[in-house]
mmCIF file of all heavy atoms in Angstrom:
data_model
loop_
_atom_site.group_PDB
_atom_site.id
_atom_site.type_symbol
_atom_site.label_atom_id
_atom_site.label_comp_id
_atom_site.label_asym_id
_atom_site.label_seq_id
_atom_site.Cartn_x
_atom_site.Cartn_y
_atom_site.Cartn_z
ATOM 1 N N GLU A 1620 -61.035 47.326 -117.758
ATOM 2 C CA GLU A 1620 -59.932 48.252 -117.935
ATOM 3 C C GLU A 1620 -59.725 48.526 -119.422
ATOM 4 O O GLU A 1620 -59.761 47.601 -120.251
ATOM 5 C CB GLU A 1620 -58.638 47.694 -117.345
ATOM 6 C CG GLU A 1620 -57.466 48.664 -117.441
ATOM 7 C CD GLU A 1620 -56.193 48.116 -116.827
ATOM 8 O OE1 GLU A 1620 -55.931 46.902 -116.996
ATOM 9 O OE2 GLU A 1620 -55.466 48.881 -116.176
ATOM 10 N N VAL A 1621 -59.510 49.802 -119.745
ATOM 11 C CA VAL A 1621 -59.171 50.220 -121.106
ATOM 12 C C VAL A 1621 -57.869 51.011 -121.013
ATOM 13 O O VAL A 1621 -57.740 51.909 -120.168
ATOM 14 C CB VAL A 1621 -60.278 51.085 -121.737
ATOM 15 C CG1 VAL A 1621 -59.874 51.550 -123.132
ATOM 16 C CG2 VAL A 1621 -61.593 50.308 -121.788
ATOM 17 N N ALA A 1622 -56.916 50.668 -121.869
ATOM 18 C CA ALA A 1622 -55.603 51.301 -121.765
ATOM 19 C C ALA A 1622 -55.019 51.555 -123.136
ATOM 20 O O ALA A 1622 -55.356 50.876 -124.126
ATOM 21 C CB ALA A 1622 -54.655 50.416 -120.953
ATOM 22 N N TYR A 1623 -54.129 52.543 -123.184
ATOM 23 C CA TYR A 1623 -53.298 52.770 -124.359
ATOM 24 C C TYR A 1623 -51.848 52.527 -123.935
ATOM 25 O O TYR A 1623 -51.401 53.016 -122.888
ATOM 26 C CB TYR A 1623 -53.436 54.196 -124.892
ATOM 27 C CG TYR A 1623 -52.275 54.606 -125.772
ATOM 28 C CD1 TYR A 1623 -52.137 54.085 -127.061
ATOM 29 C CD2 TYR A 1623 -51.283 55.461 -125.288
ATOM 30 C CE1 TYR A 1623 -51.050 54.424 -127.855
ATOM 31 C CE2 TYR A 1623 -50.197 55.806 -126.080
ATOM 32 C CZ TYR A 1623 -50.080 55.289 -127.362
ATOM 33 O OH TYR A 1623 -49.000 55.618 -128.155
ATOM 34 N N ALA A 1624 -51.114 51.781 -124.737
ATOM 35 C CA ALA A 1624 -49.709 51.517 -124.454
ATOM 36 C C ALA A 1624 -48.900 51.777 -125.711
ATOM 37 O O ALA A 1624 -49.327 51.423 -126.819
ATOM 38 C CB ALA A 1624 -49.508 50.079 -123.987
ATOM 39 N N GLY A 1625 -47.770 52.397 -125.539
ATOM 40 C CA GLY A 1625 -46.905 52.681 -126.674
ATOM 41 C C GLY A 1625 -45.454 52.450 -126.326
ATOM 42 O O GLY A 1625 -45.067 52.390 -125.147
ATOM 43 N N SER A 1626 -44.642 52.319 -127.349
ATOM 44 C CA SER A 1626 -43.206 52.149 -127.133
ATOM 45 C C SER A 1626 -42.445 52.662 -128.345
ATOM 46 O O SER A 1626 -42.971 52.701 -129.465
ATOM 47 C CB SER A 1626 -42.849 50.677 -126.881
ATOM 48 O OG SER A 1626 -42.971 49.921 -128.069
ATOM 49 N N TYR A 1627 -41.223 53.040 -128.093
ATOM 50 C CA TYR A 1627 -40.312 53.411 -129.174
ATOM 51 C C TYR A 1627 -38.930 52.888 -128.819
ATOM 52 O O TYR A 1627 -38.406 53.160 -127.735
ATOM 53 C CB TYR A 1627 -40.240 54.932 -129.360
ATOM 54 C CG TYR A 1627 -39.150 55.354 -130.317
ATOM 55 C CD1 TYR A 1627 -39.229 55.085 -131.674
ATOM 56 C CD2 TYR A 1627 -38.003 55.987 -129.847
ATOM 57 C CE1 TYR A 1627 -38.221 55.438 -132.543
ATOM 58 C CE2 TYR A 1627 -36.975 56.354 -130.716
ATOM 59 C CZ TYR A 1627 -37.095 56.076 -132.070
ATOM 60 O OH TYR A 1627 -36.087 56.426 -132.933
ATOM 61 N N SER A 1628 -38.359 52.109 -129.715
ATOM 62 C CA SER A 1628 -37.030 51.550 -129.507
ATOM 63 C C SER A 1628 -36.083 52.122 -130.556
ATOM 64 O O SER A 1628 -36.451 52.254 -131.726
ATOM 65 C CB SER A 1628 -37.048 50.028 -129.632
ATOM 66 O OG SER A 1628 -37.961 49.454 -128.736
ATOM 67 N N ASP A 1629 -34.882 52.426 -130.139
ATOM 68 C CA ASP A 1629 -33.861 52.819 -131.091
ATOM 69 C C ASP A 1629 -32.555 52.131 -130.702
ATOM 70 O O ASP A 1629 -32.487 51.392 -129.726
ATOM 71 C CB ASP A 1629 -33.705 54.341 -131.154
ATOM 72 C CG ASP A 1629 -33.224 54.952 -129.851
ATOM 73 O OD1 ASP A 1629 -33.248 54.252 -128.822
ATOM 74 O OD2 ASP A 1629 -32.830 56.136 -129.860
ATOM 75 N N ARG A 1630 -31.552 52.343 -131.510
ATOM 76 C CA ARG A 1630 -30.266 51.660 -131.345
ATOM 77 C C ARG A 1630 -30.442 50.144 -131.407
ATOM 78 O O ARG A 1630 -29.641 49.386 -130.855
ATOM 79 C CB ARG A 1630 -29.571 52.075 -130.036
ATOM 80 C CG ARG A 1630 -29.452 53.574 -129.878
ATOM 81 C CD ARG A 1630 -28.402 54.040 -128.912
ATOM 82 N NE ARG A 1630 -28.356 53.366 -127.643
ATOM 83 C CZ ARG A 1630 -27.679 53.805 -126.593
ATOM 84 N NH1 ARG A 1630 -27.024 54.959 -126.671
ATOM 85 N NH2 ARG A 1630 -27.661 53.144 -125.461
ATOM 86 N N ASN A 1631 -31.506 49.684 -132.090
ATOM 87 C CA ASN A 1631 -31.715 48.247 -132.240
ATOM 88 C C ASN A 1631 -30.650 47.663 -133.169
ATOM 89 O O ASN A 1631 -30.142 48.338 -134.059
ATOM 90 C CB ASN A 1631 -33.105 47.964 -132.819
ATOM 91 C CG ASN A 1631 -34.201 48.261 -131.832
ATOM 92 O OD1 ASN A 1631 -33.943 48.591 -130.682
ATOM 93 N ND2 ASN A 1631 -35.438 48.163 -132.280
ATOM 94 N N TYR A 1632 -30.357 46.399 -132.976
ATOM 95 C CA TYR A 1632 -29.290 45.749 -133.718
ATOM 96 C C TYR A 1632 -29.792 45.295 -135.087
ATOM 97 O O TYR A 1632 -30.841 44.655 -135.212
ATOM 98 C CB TYR A 1632 -28.757 44.538 -132.945
ATOM 99 C CG TYR A 1632 -28.536 44.820 -131.481
ATOM 100 C CD1 TYR A 1632 -29.134 44.044 -130.496
ATOM 101 C CD2 TYR A 1632 -27.739 45.894 -131.076
ATOM 102 C CE1 TYR A 1632 -28.936 44.309 -129.164
ATOM 103 C CE2 TYR A 1632 -27.537 46.169 -129.738
ATOM 104 C CZ TYR A 1632 -28.140 45.378 -128.782
ATOM 105 O OH TYR A 1632 -27.951 45.660 -127.453
#
Side-chain angles (χ1 to χ4, degrees):
E1620 183 179 39
V1621 178
Y1623 160 73
S1626 72
Y1627 171 69
S1628 303
D1629 64 347
R1630 308 200 314 193
N1631 289 355
Y1632 315 125

